Amino acid sequence: MTTSTAIHPDTETKPPGDIAVIGIALRIPGAEDIDTFWSLIAEGRTTFEAVTPEDSARFGYSPAQRDNDGFVPIRSALDDFETFDAELFGISSRDASLMDPQHRVFLETIRSALDDSGFDDDLRGLRVGVFGSSSSSTYLTGPVSDAGLWDTSDINFSAMLANEKDFLCTRTSYTLGLTGPSVVVQSACSSSLLAVHPARMSLQSGECDIAVVGGVSISLPHLGGYLYRAGSIFSPTGGCRPFDASADGTVKANGAGAIVLARSDDAPDDYVYAHISGSAVNNDGAEKPGFAAPGIAGQSAVIGSALTSAGLPADRVRYVETHGTGTPIGDPIEVRSLRQARGSTKEPCYLGSAKANIGHLDAAAGVVGLIKAALVLERAMIPPIAGYEQPNPLLNLGDALALPTECLDASWLDAAGVSSFGMGGTNVHVVLRRRPDRGRRPAAPPKRRYSRVRYWLDAPSPASPDMVEPSKTEGVLQNQGIPSETDLLDMARRTLMAPDLTIDDDFVDAGADSLALIDLLSAMRERFAADLSYTDIERSRTVRSLLDRMLDGIPTVDTNDQAGRSHPASHGPRVTSNLVAVSERGTRDLFLVHPAGGTTTIYAGLAPHVDPTLNLIALSFPDEYLGRGCTMRDLAENYLAAIVGRQPRGPYLIGGYSFGGNLAVEIALQLRREGEVVERLVMIDSHPPHAYTSGDCSGGEYLAAFPALLEVLVPGIRFDGNVATASDARTVLDHVVSPDWPASVRTELARFFDIWKENHGVLKRWTPDRDLDCPVLIIEASDPEPQEILDRLGIASSSVHEWARYLGSEADVVNVAGDHYSIFRDPAPLQAIGRAVSGALVSR
C-alpha cells in the first residue's frame, strides 16, 4: 500500500466551523469504557455468546419456539442491564423499577460522557442540548405489562413517561438540569448518527453551547436468542461477518454510546478526540426495490454531500466506518455506493464495521460507529474486521477499497467517514478530521463510580393470588365505604410496584421506602377518602393491618401492667401506641427510638443485619404530640408507656439513632429511677447534649437549614434559583425541581420538617439530670455531619467520646465508615451496625 506521512496544510489549525468531539462514553457487550472497547476491536474479538435454555425461557421463548429449527440461541448481551444507580440521580426506587432499562442506561451513559468531557455535576450557565435515540420499549410490553402496570385501555401515566421513546431525552435533561434543545431522533438503524446532524446544526447556530448525542438499544427478547426468518437481516448461524464470503446476516446487540460535542473554537485542546467537519442526510425515496431495501443512489449521494459539507476531496478520507450489517446483498450495495461516491480516487480507503465485533446496536449503532472512527483517528490505528477471511464475491472492491485483517498503523490518516443507513431509507454520513496536533487526547478525568442496584419489575409468582379470600369483616368494610382487601391489595401492588405482594406482606420488606409509603397514603386518600396519617401507614405496614386500622380506629395502650405496678407514664392521659414492629422473629425486644424527623422506616434496612433472636421494635413520633411543646422528659414518659405496654418488666434493651439516641438516654434514666434494669443502651451517632445547648437556633435558621438537610437525605435533589426566598417549609419543597414529587409528597415532607424542628427544640432544652449507670454501646460515623447544617442549627462540633461526662462507666465505642446520613443508607455501614448491635446484645 502507499502511505503519506505529510501533514496537510489545512489540518495544522482547527478548521473553521468544525465541531469537536470532547467526551465519549459507552456501555456495550464486553466493554464499559473506551480502553476496553478499543482492545475488543483492535484484537478482533467478538461478544456473541450461547444462551442457556433457562435464559431463553426467562425472556419469553416457549418450549415450542426453542425447539423450532429457526431458533438461534445466541446473543450479544449487556452486563447488569437490570441495575441502576437511582440514588445518584435522585430517583426513587419505585420510579427506577418502572423505568425502561434503556432510559436508565442512556442517562448513565450521557452523564459519563459529560464527565469524560470535563464537566462536573454543575452545568449551570451552559445551554446543554441532548439529542438521542432508542429502540422500542420491550420493558413496557414485557415486565411492566406482566406486573399488571400497563394496559393500553387504561394507561398508567407514570409507566408511559418512564418507557416511551418520546421522553428519553427530556427525562435526561430534567434529571441533569440541561437547558438546551432536547430532541429524540428516530430513523431506525441510522437514528443516533442522524442525531449528530441536528446537534451539529444547533451548535453552529448558537442554540446550545454543548451538545450531547446518544443512542441506546436493549431488547429483552433478544437476550434469550432469536427466531430466524427467511428474508430478515438476522443470521441463521448466530454471527456477523461483514463483507465476508460467509456473511449471512447479523445478531442483535444491546448497549449504548454517547458523545459530547462543542464548537472547535471553544473546545479545550486536551479534551479533543477528533473534529466533525461535515455531515449529510437524505432518503432513498422510491429508487430501490422495496421499502426495507437499501438504495445505491441515496447512499452514494449522502456520502458525496457529507464530503462537500466537510470541504474535503474523497482521497483525503482513508477510513470509513461502514454500516456493515453483514448481509450478503446489503454489503455489496454499500461497497458499490462507496466506490461511486469516491469516484476515480486511487488512494486506498480502509473499511471497518463494529457490528463484526458486537452485532447490530440498532438505534445506538451510528453513535458507536462514530466513537470507533474517532478513536481510529486519535490512536492512528485501523483495527481488523472481526471474522473477515475472504471477500463476498459480489463486492467488487477494486484497488480503492481495502478490508483490514490485522491492526494497521495509520499515522498517515487525516480523515474518516462514518455511514449509517436506516431501514426505510434514511441515510446519514459524517466526516471526521484528526486533531491538528495529530496527538492523543492526554486528558483523562476520573471515572464516575456507579453503585448499581437491581431495579426490576418481576411478574407475580404463580403462588401469589390474583384475588384474595374475603375476610370475616369484608362486608362490614364495604358497608362503611372502606375498600375491600382485593381493592386495597391491587392499589398497593400498583403503587408500590410490588406485583407479588400479599395482604400480609410488609410494605417495607417489599422494597417501599418512606416516599413510596407517602404515595400509597396519597392514593388511598384520593380513591377511598381514607382518614389516615403517615404515622398510621408506618405502623400498619400490611394491607390487612391498614384495613383493620381503618375499621377499628387507632388502638390505645393500657398503661397499667399486669402486676399493677405504676410507672410515671401511667399518671398521664392514655396515649396512642407509637410502637412499630420492624421485625418480630426473635425472643427479646430491642426498642429503637425514631430520629428527629419522627419516622422509623430507616430501621427496616438494619433489621436483616441484626441477630435473629432480637425483635426490632421502633417508636415513632405520634401525630398528636406535634405542637404540644413537649420536653424530653415528657416524651420519654409517654414513650415509656408504650414500651411497658409491650414488655411490662425488664431487663430492657433501649436505643436510637441521632435524636433517638438522646431520647433513649432519658427513657433509660426513667427506667432506672423506677428500679428497672437497663441491660444495654445503644446510641447510633448521637451528639452529646452540650453540643445542642451550646448554641441557639431561630425558626428562620431552621428553615435556612432545610434545603441543606434535604440535599444529604435525598442525593441528587435539585432546587430552582429561588429557594432562598422561601417563607416556609412547604414553599421550600415547591422549589424542588428534581425529583418531581407530587403535592402529597411535598406536604408530608413539610410535616417532617415541623417534627424535625420541634424535636431539635426539645434537644436544645435538655440535659440529663443525673449520670446514666447502665452499659452503653456508642456507634459513631467516621465522617462528620455537614458543617453547614451544624452551623445553621447552632450545634457545636463534638465527638461521641464526650458522652463520658454523662455516663457512670466507660462506654463501648464502635466506628462505622460513612457520615451521619449514609450509615443508614449504604449496605456496608448497615451491616457493620448490625454486627455491633448483635455482638453487644446477644449472649454468645
Side-chain angles (χ1 to χ4, degrees):
M1 67 179 182
T2 61
T3 62
S4 171
T5 57
I7 300 175
H8 291 272
D10 58 349
T11 64
E12 294 175 353
T13 59
K14 297 177 182 178
D18 275 13
I19 301 299
V21 180
I22 60 171
I24 289 175
L26 44 71
R27 190 172 165 194
I28 61 171
E32 284 205 13
D33 58 67
I34 298 166
D35 290 336
T36 309
F37 173 60
W38 181 256
S39 296
L40 174 70
I41 59 177
E43 295 168 12
R45 291 184 282 114
T46 64
T47 60
F48 310 122
E49 63 180 11
V51 185
T52 65
E54 292 76 18
D55 267 0
S56 294
R58 177 191 173 197
F59 292 107
Y61 290 98
S62 67
Q65 288 174 316
R66 298 197 301 272
D67 290 340
N68 189 302
D69 290 341
F71 182 68
V72 183
I74 298 293
R75 66 183 177 189
S76 185
L78 184 68
D79 289 338
D80 296 331
F81 62 90
E82 296 177 329
T83 66
F84 178 53
D85 194 342
E87 186 175 287
L88 175 70
F89 296 105
I91 294 173
S92 73
S93 58
R94 291 185 312 112
D95 287 345
S97 296
L98 192 59
M99 286 174 69
D100 188 319
Q102 294 185 120
H103 285 226
R104 303 185 321 208
V105 170
F106 183 84
L107 178 57
E108 283 189 356
T109 308
I110 293 294
R111 178 65 267 176
S112 295
L114 286 166
D115 290 342
D116 187 59
S117 65
F119 291 103
D120 59 18
D121 292 341
D122 189 357
L123 290 159
R124 286 174 293 186
L126 288 174
R127 295 167 301 163
V128 181
V130 181
F131 302 80
S133 315
S134 78
S135 297
S136 297
S137 176
T138 54
Y139 191 66
L140 182 66
T141 56
V144 179
S145 296
D146 293 343
L149 300 176
W150 180 250
D151 184 343
T152 55
S153 62
D154 181 18
I155 292 176
N156 180 327
F157 191 66
S158 296
M160 180 182 69
L161 293 177
N163 288 270
E164 292 285 8
K165 291 178 182 179
D166 298 37
F167 309 106
L168 176 77
C169 293
T170 48
R171 179 180 290 277
T172 298
S173 296
Y174 174 79
T175 303
L176 301 182
L178 310 180
T179 58
S182 193
V183 183
V184 173
V185 179
Q186 297 296 153
S187 61
C189 321
S190 59
S191 296
S192 57
L193 193 65
L194 175 59
V196 173
H197 189 67
R200 177 174 172 251
M201 300 297 107
S202 185
L203 284 165
Q204 290 178 333
S205 68
E207 284 182 337
C208 60
D209 304 306
I210 300 293
V212 196
V213 180
V216 62
S217 180
I218 299 174
S219 172
L220 301 187
H222 285 93
L223 294 171
Y226 58 92
L227 282 162
Y228 167 72
R229 305 292 187 192
S232 75
I233 66 168
F234 293 109
S235 164
T237 57
C240 184
R241 292 170 288 276
F243 310 112
D244 193 76
S246 63
D248 59 1
T250 191
V251 173
K252 175 72 182 77
N254 298 271
I259 57 173
V260 180
L261 306 178
R263 288 179 287 273
S264 292
D265 290 341
D266 301 333
D269 290 338
D270 280 357
Y271 281 83
V272 174
Y273 287 97
H275 297 274
I276 296 176
S277 291
S279 63
V281 57
N282 70 9
N283 191 275
D284 293 326
E287 294 186 35
K288 54 184 179 178
F291 175 69
I296 294 174
Q299 291 182 13
S300 176
V302 81
I303 295 168
S305 296
L307 289 169
T308 300
S309 170
L312 290 176
D315 62 1
R316 289 283 305 282
V317 178
R318 303 279 304 282
Y319 175 81
V320 172
E321 177 64 18
T322 67
H323 186 61
T325 55
T327 58
I329 301 300
D331 289 351
I333 288 176
E334 182 167 9
V335 165
R336 184 176 172 186
S337 301
L338 264 171
R339 290 186 61 201
Q340 187 169 306
R342 293 179 64 80
S344 59
T345 175
K346 300 299 182 185
E347 293 286 357
C349 177
Y350 290 88
L351 309 185
S353 173
K355 294 180 182 69
N357 303 94
I358 60 173
H360 197 337
L361 278 168
D362 191 50
V367 72
V368 170
L370 189 147
I371 288 170
K372 179 185 171 185
L375 295 178
V376 165
L377 288 171
E378 188 231 11
R379 305 195 178 201
M381 298 291 291
I382 295 177
I385 298 177
Y388 173 76
E389 294 179 354
Q390 56 183 331
N392 180 329
L394 300 178
L395 287 185
N396 191 19
L397 290 168
D399 296 328
L401 298 177
L403 300 172
T405 57
E406 60 184 356
C407 209
L408 303 175
D409 173 79
S411 55
W412 43 267
L413 185 63
D414 291 321
V418 186
S419 291
S420 195
F421 308 132
M423 189 174 293
T426 296
N427 307 306
V428 188
H429 193 80
V430 174
V431 177
L432 305 175
R433 296 197 203 206
R434 193 169 177 177
R435 285 166 52 126
D437 62 6
R438 304 180 68 79
R440 289 279 301 274
R441 178 186 192 258
K447 292 182 173 63
R448 185 179 298 265
R449 302 178 73 175
Y450 293 102
S451 299
R452 293 184 178 128
V453 175
R454 184 179 187 269
Y455 295 103
W456 203 259
L457 290 173
D458 294 309
S461 66
S464 178
D466 291 328
M467 301 293 288
V468 296
E469 183 179 341
S471 72
K472 61 184 178 181
T473 59
E474 186 94 344
V476 179
L477 290 172
Q478 292 175 337
N479 290 338
Q480 294 189 12
I482 296 175
S484 67
E485 287 177 347
T486 303
D487 289 341
L488 186 54
L489 178 61
D490 180 65
M491 171 174 283
R493 285 175 172 176
R494 292 173 63 88
T495 306
L496 304 181
M497 296 178 192
D500 239 3
L501 193 77
T502 71
I503 58 172
D504 292 311
D505 284 342
D506 187 291
F507 299 148
V508 176
D509 288 346
D513 56 15
S514 56
L515 295 179
L517 295 181
I518 289 172
D519 277 354
L520 178 58
L521 175 63
S522 175
M524 291 176 64
R525 285 172 174 169
E526 181 178 341
R527 181 174 171 186
F528 303 128
D531 185 18
L532 295 172
S533 67
Y534 179 81
T535 304
D536 295 326
I537 205 166
E538 185 179 43
R539 297 173 195 162
S540 304
R541 297 196 319 239
T542 69
V543 168
R544 194 186 302 277
S545 295
L546 273 177
L547 287 170
D548 288 345
R549 184 170 290 273
M550 293 170 73
L551 178 65
D552 300 329
I554 300 174
T556 59
V557 173
D558 184 352
T559 59
N560 294 314
D561 62 51
Q562 296 173 355
R565 183 167 56 87
S566 175
H567 284 267
S570 66
H571 301 300
R574 291 162 64 89
V575 297
T576 297
S577 173
N578 57 336
L579 297 182
V580 178
V582 178
S583 66
E584 284 191 286
R585 52 183 177 169
T587 56
R588 304 191 63 202
D589 291 343
L590 167 60
F591 295 95
L592 293 174
V593 184
H594 62 81
T599 66
T600 61
T601 311
I602 58 163
Y603 293 128
L606 177 62
H609 308 298
V610 174
D611 191 281
T613 62
L614 293 171
N615 300 318
L616 293 193
I617 309 299
L619 293 103
S620 64
F621 185 85
D623 291 338
E624 59 267 32
Y625 287 6
L626 186 59
R628 279 173 46 175
C630 293
T631 66
M632 187 72 92
R633 291 175 180 86
D634 293 334
L635 290 176
E637 184 175 308
N638 286 310
Y639 285 23
L640 186 54
I643 292 172
V644 170
R646 178 177 172 97
Q647 183 183 330
R649 296 190 180 279
Y652 290 96
L653 303 174
I654 308 288
Y657 161 56
S658 192
F659 166 85
N662 299 76
L663 183 48
V665 169
E666 183 60 38
I667 293 172
L669 286 172
Q670 293 193 17
L671 282 167
R672 294 295 294 127
R673 188 179 292 115
E674 290 297 309
E676 285 289 0
V677 174
V678 177
E679 182 179 331
R680 181 74 76 159
L681 172 72
V682 179
M683 289 187 287
I684 305 174
D685 213 45
S686 301
H687 293 296
H690 57 269
Y692 293 98
T693 57
S694 63
D696 200 5
C697 187
S698 67
E701 287 166 325
Y702 279 116
L703 186 65
F706 192 33
L709 178 67
L710 288 170
E711 285 176 348
V712 294
L713 291 176
V714 186
I717 192 173
R718 290 191 299 106
F719 300 88
D720 64 28
N722 300 316
V723 65
T725 66
S727 58
D728 55 38
R730 185 62 174 79
T731 309
V732 167
L733 291 158
D734 285 340
H735 288 297
V736 174
V737 296
S738 179
D740 187 15
W741 286 323
S744 60
V745 172
R746 297 173 196 258
T747 299
E748 287 296 332
L749 288 175
R751 171 185 169 277
F752 158 84
F753 170 83
D754 292 337
I755 296 173
W756 172 73
K757 174 183 172 184
E758 184 155 321
N759 283 331
H760 266 280
V762 169
L763 280 169
K764 292 286 187 184
R765 305 188 298 272
W766 172 74
T767 300
D769 57 5
R770 61 193 178 94
D771 287 350
L772 184 63
D773 58 347
C774 69
V776 175
L777 170 66
I778 296 176
I779 296 173
E780 179 183 28
S782 62
D783 301 330
E785 195 166 352
Q787 194 62 45
E788 178 185 359
I789 295 177
L790 298 179
D791 291 344
R792 289 189 180 277
L793 299 181
I795 302 173
S797 296
S798 61
S799 165
V800 295
H801 294 278
E802 296 174 37
W803 271 103
R805 69 179 72 175
Y806 305 98
L807 306 179
S809 60
E810 185 176 356
D812 295 323
V813 178
V814 175
N815 190 267
V816 173
D819 60 36
H820 185 71
Y821 304 95
S822 67
I823 59 172
F824 265 93
R825 189 171 59 227
D826 297 341
L830 279 171
Q831 292 171 6
I833 294 170
R835 286 193 299 270
V837 169
S838 301
L841 304 188
V842 179
S843 299
R844 299 295 180 185

